[in-house]
PDB file of all heavy atoms in Angstrom:
ATOM      1  N   GLY A1103     106.726 102.368  89.200  1.00  0.00           N
ATOM      2  CA  GLY A1103     107.388 101.275  89.823  1.00  0.00           C
ATOM      3  C   GLY A1103     107.734 101.561  91.259  1.00  0.00           C
ATOM      4  O   GLY A1103     107.509 102.726  91.638  1.00  0.00           O
ATOM      5  N   ASN A1104     108.409 100.576  91.882  1.00  0.00           N
ATOM      6  CA  ASN A1104     108.775 100.818  93.286  1.00  0.00           C
ATOM      7  C   ASN A1104     109.919  99.920  93.558  1.00  0.00           C
ATOM      8  O   ASN A1104     109.961  98.817  94.051  1.00  0.00           O
ATOM      9  CB  ASN A1104     107.655 100.330  94.147  1.00  0.00           C
ATOM     10  CG  ASN A1104     107.888 100.563  95.639  1.00  0.00           C
ATOM     11  OD1 ASN A1104     108.950 100.974  96.128  1.00  0.00           O
ATOM     12  ND2 ASN A1104     106.978 100.253  96.501  1.00  0.00           N
ATOM     13  N   TYR A1105     111.199 100.474  93.116  1.00  0.00           N
ATOM     14  CA  TYR A1105     112.419  99.705  93.120  1.00  0.00           C
ATOM     15  C   TYR A1105     113.352 100.152  94.121  1.00  0.00           C
ATOM     16  O   TYR A1105     113.541 101.353  94.256  1.00  0.00           O
ATOM     17  CB  TYR A1105     113.073  99.655  91.728  1.00  0.00           C
ATOM     18  CG  TYR A1105     112.145  99.225  90.704  1.00  0.00           C
ATOM     19  CD1 TYR A1105     112.079  99.943  89.427  1.00  0.00           C
ATOM     20  CD2 TYR A1105     111.401  98.077  90.740  1.00  0.00           C
ATOM     21  CE1 TYR A1105     111.331  99.551  88.393  1.00  0.00           C
ATOM     22  CE2 TYR A1105     110.613  97.725  89.730  1.00  0.00           C
ATOM     23  CZ  TYR A1105     110.536  98.425  88.532  1.00  0.00           C
ATOM     24  OH  TYR A1105     109.718  98.010  87.472  1.00  0.00           O
ATOM     25  N   SER A1106     113.859  99.258  94.913  1.00  0.00           N
ATOM     26  CA  SER A1106     114.903  99.654  95.973  1.00  0.00           C
ATOM     27  C   SER A1106     116.184 100.213  95.233  1.00  0.00           C
ATOM     28  O   SER A1106     116.397  99.851  94.095  1.00  0.00           O
ATOM     29  CB  SER A1106     115.159  98.574  96.902  1.00  0.00           C
ATOM     30  OG  SER A1106     115.913  97.471  96.169  1.00  0.00           O
ATOM     31  N   LYS A1107     117.005 100.815  95.959  1.00  0.00           N
ATOM     32  CA  LYS A1107     118.259 101.333  95.488  1.00  0.00           C
ATOM     33  C   LYS A1107     119.079 100.090  94.940  1.00  0.00           C
ATOM     34  O   LYS A1107     119.661 100.152  93.849  1.00  0.00           O
ATOM     35  CB  LYS A1107     119.056 102.101  96.542  1.00  0.00           C
ATOM     36  CG  LYS A1107     120.383 102.529  96.177  1.00  0.00           C
ATOM     37  CD  LYS A1107     121.018 103.282  97.409  1.00  0.00           C
ATOM     38  CE  LYS A1107     122.449 103.567  97.235  1.00  0.00           C
ATOM     39  NZ  LYS A1107     123.044 104.281  98.328  1.00  0.00           N
ATOM     40  N   ASP A1108     119.094  99.036  95.713  1.00  0.00           N
ATOM     41  CA  ASP A1108     119.889  97.822  95.288  1.00  0.00           C
ATOM     42  C   ASP A1108     119.261  97.179  94.135  1.00  0.00           C
ATOM     43  O   ASP A1108     120.056  96.758  93.200  1.00  0.00           O
ATOM     44  CB  ASP A1108     119.861  96.809  96.446  1.00  0.00           C
ATOM     45  CG  ASP A1108     120.712  97.180  97.674  1.00  0.00           C
ATOM     46  OD1 ASP A1108     121.555  98.012  97.525  1.00  0.00           O
ATOM     47  OD2 ASP A1108     120.417  96.740  98.750  1.00  0.00           O
ATOM     48  N   PHE A1109     118.008  97.241  93.918  1.00  0.00           N
ATOM     49  CA  PHE A1109     117.403  96.618  92.762  1.00  0.00           C
ATOM     50  C   PHE A1109     117.678  97.499  91.482  1.00  0.00           C
ATOM     51  O   PHE A1109     117.846  96.948  90.376  1.00  0.00           O
ATOM     52  CB  PHE A1109     115.900  96.435  92.899  1.00  0.00           C
ATOM     53  CG  PHE A1109     115.224  95.526  91.855  1.00  0.00           C
ATOM     54  CD1 PHE A1109     115.430  94.225  91.874  1.00  0.00           C
ATOM     55  CD2 PHE A1109     114.463  96.058  90.907  1.00  0.00           C
ATOM     56  CE1 PHE A1109     114.879  93.343  90.936  1.00  0.00           C
ATOM     57  CE2 PHE A1109     113.893  95.394  89.935  1.00  0.00           C
ATOM     58  CZ  PHE A1109     114.023  93.974  89.957  1.00  0.00           C
ATOM     59  N   LEU A1110     117.805  98.826  91.660  1.00  0.00           N
ATOM     60  CA  LEU A1110     118.050  99.710  90.533  1.00  0.00           C
ATOM     61  C   LEU A1110     119.465  99.390  89.976  1.00  0.00           C
ATOM     62  O   LEU A1110     119.657  99.810  88.812  1.00  0.00           O
ATOM     63  CB  LEU A1110     117.962 101.106  90.991  1.00  0.00           C
ATOM     64  CG  LEU A1110     116.521 101.692  91.263  1.00  0.00           C
ATOM     65  CD1 LEU A1110     116.651 103.050  91.820  1.00  0.00           C
ATOM     66  CD2 LEU A1110     115.794 101.707  89.890  1.00  0.00           C
ATOM     67  N   MET A1111     120.335  98.825  90.709  1.00  0.00           N
ATOM     68  CA  MET A1111     121.702  98.501  90.229  1.00  0.00           C
ATOM     69  C   MET A1111     121.540  97.581  88.937  1.00  0.00           C
ATOM     70  O   MET A1111     122.571  97.482  88.231  1.00  0.00           O
ATOM     71  CB  MET A1111     122.500  97.770  91.300  1.00  0.00           C
ATOM     72  CG  MET A1111     122.919  98.812  92.438  1.00  0.00           C
ATOM     73  SD  MET A1111     123.921  97.950  93.646  1.00  0.00           S
ATOM     74  CE  MET A1111     124.301  99.253  94.738  1.00  0.00           C
TER      75      MET A1111
END
Side-chain angles (χ1 to χ4, degrees):
N1104 184 358
Y1105 308 132
S1106 69
K1107 178 180 169 183
D1108 291 338
F1109 194 74
L1110 284 173
M1111 291 181 177

